[in-house]
Amino acid sequence: LVDQMTGGQSPEVEATSTSTPETTPAGPGETTPSTSTDAGAFAVSYSCRMVDSRNFTEAPSDLGEIWALGDDVTRCTGKSNGGTTFSETEQKALDALGQAATDDDKEAAPDDVRLADIYALCATPGFYFAISPGISTDEQASQLEAALILCPEAPDADSARTSLSTYDANVTAGNDGTRFNDGTWKVGEEIKPGTYKPESPSDNCRWFRYDDKGDWIESSYDKTQAEIVVTIDATDATFESRNCGYWRAA
């Protein structure tokens, strides 16, 4: 699916051609595939890895049965049957997914492979990355949005929606210059003046305010703070952050 997922790992998928499929996954809220007479109907099969095993084994075709296994499941993969006729819900999920690539070479994979990847997210506790470590890219956000269309009743769906909302809020704050990561930033152009706090304070956090000549106005070496709070003035030229992580307007 995406190489941005934890450690570059992603749910595995494989498109194969098999004998004429007889079922397609059902719509939202339904976990049992529905009967189909379409010879090209899409279907997905699952393999899951359990907490006491390093190997993937064949899993039930019904998402509800996989969810019933709870946290005994650590990860699932999805395998397409090669079908290219999708349900209305599946097409909506593909539309939400957009053209995100699923292969390491970043070439767009076939729709059935991409859809099997999203079903694999539905089958995996926490939607694999959505809860921990959390969404880190727009591509992951689109994948989670697509998964929530396919399986809105998944056990971790509410937490996943919260994660998606948090990511959207962070993107908005980043776009308007009130949230930024380590680095050197131009005040007024890249970040807005104001009072900021690091989201995850670190003892190694170092920060510097510079004037237009490159001289220090103030830095973390100038004062001891029980809580790291920095006010960046509109007259500052740049602000530099090291080992502080993301800053957000206080």
Side-chain angles (χ1 to χ4, degrees):
L1 183 51
V2 298
D3 52 17
Q4 293 97 332
M5 289 185 186
T6 311
Q9 298 293 321
S10 63
E12 302 168 8
V13 294
E14 178 183 355
T16 59
S17 295
T18 64
S19 59
T20 301
E22 297 180 354
T23 63
T24 65
E30 301 177 22
T31 57
T32 303
S34 58
T35 301
S36 172
T37 57
D38 190 335
F42 170 82
V44 60
S45 57
Y46 302 99
S47 294
C48 295
R49 184 172 60 201
M50 311 301 285
V51 293
D52 57 353
S53 174
R54 296 177 59 87
N55 300 318
F56 286 85
T57 58
E58 185 178 353
S61 60
D62 177 48
L63 281 174
E65 293 184 36
I66 297 177
W67 295 338
L69 298 173
D71 291 337
D72 287 342
V73 176
T74 61
R75 182 182 169 191
C76 293
T77 64
K79 182 177 181 180
S80 167
N81 69 336
T84 56
T85 300
F86 308 110
S87 70
E88 181 179 350
T89 299
E90 289 166 347
Q91 189 58 58
K92 288 180 180 178
L94 285 170
D95 292 342
L97 185 60
Q99 295 302 314
T102 59
D103 296 332
D104 291 340
D105 60 8
K106 304 307 292 182
E107 293 182 0
D111 282 349
D112 66 301
V113 174
R114 299 163 70 219
L115 195 61
D117 255 341
I118 302 306
Y119 271 114
L121 290 183
C122 287
T124 302
F127 290 85
Y128 191 42
F129 60 82
I131 313 302
S132 178
I135 306 169
S136 60
T137 67
D138 288 347
E139 189 172 350
Q140 287 185 346
S142 69
Q143 291 156 4
L144 182 55
E145 182 181 353
L148 288 170
I149 291 173
L150 289 180
C151 52
E153 305 300 327
D156 293 316
D158 287 344
S159 296
R161 292 185 186 95
T162 298
S163 180
L164 190 58
S165 295
T166 298
Y167 178 77
D168 289 342
N170 288 342
V171 169
T172 298
N175 289 339
D176 67 18
T178 58
R179 183 178 187 263
F180 52 89
N181 204 346
D182 288 330
T184 301
W185 304 90
K186 295 180 180 178
V187 179
E189 294 182 26
E190 298 174 321
I191 62 173
K192 290 184 178 180
T195 300
Y196 291 86
K197 296 180 181 180
E199 294 180 353
S200 301
S202 165
D203 292 339
N204 296 320
C205 174
R206 300 290 180 264
W207 54 266
F208 309 85
R209 295 170 54 209
Y210 296 101
D211 61 20
D212 56 6
K213 296 180 181 179
D215 295 328
W216 288 3
I217 300 172
E218 184 183 37
S219 79
S220 54
Y221 292 107
D222 298 327
K223 57 184 180 180
T224 302
Q225 295 175 294
E227 181 181 22
I228 302 174
V229 181
V230 179
T231 297
I232 301 172
D233 292 336
T235 53
D236 292 3
T238 57
F239 178 78
E240 181 182 2
S241 170
R242 305 175 187 170
N243 303 315
C244 299
Y246 278 98
W247 295 77
R248 183 184 288 275

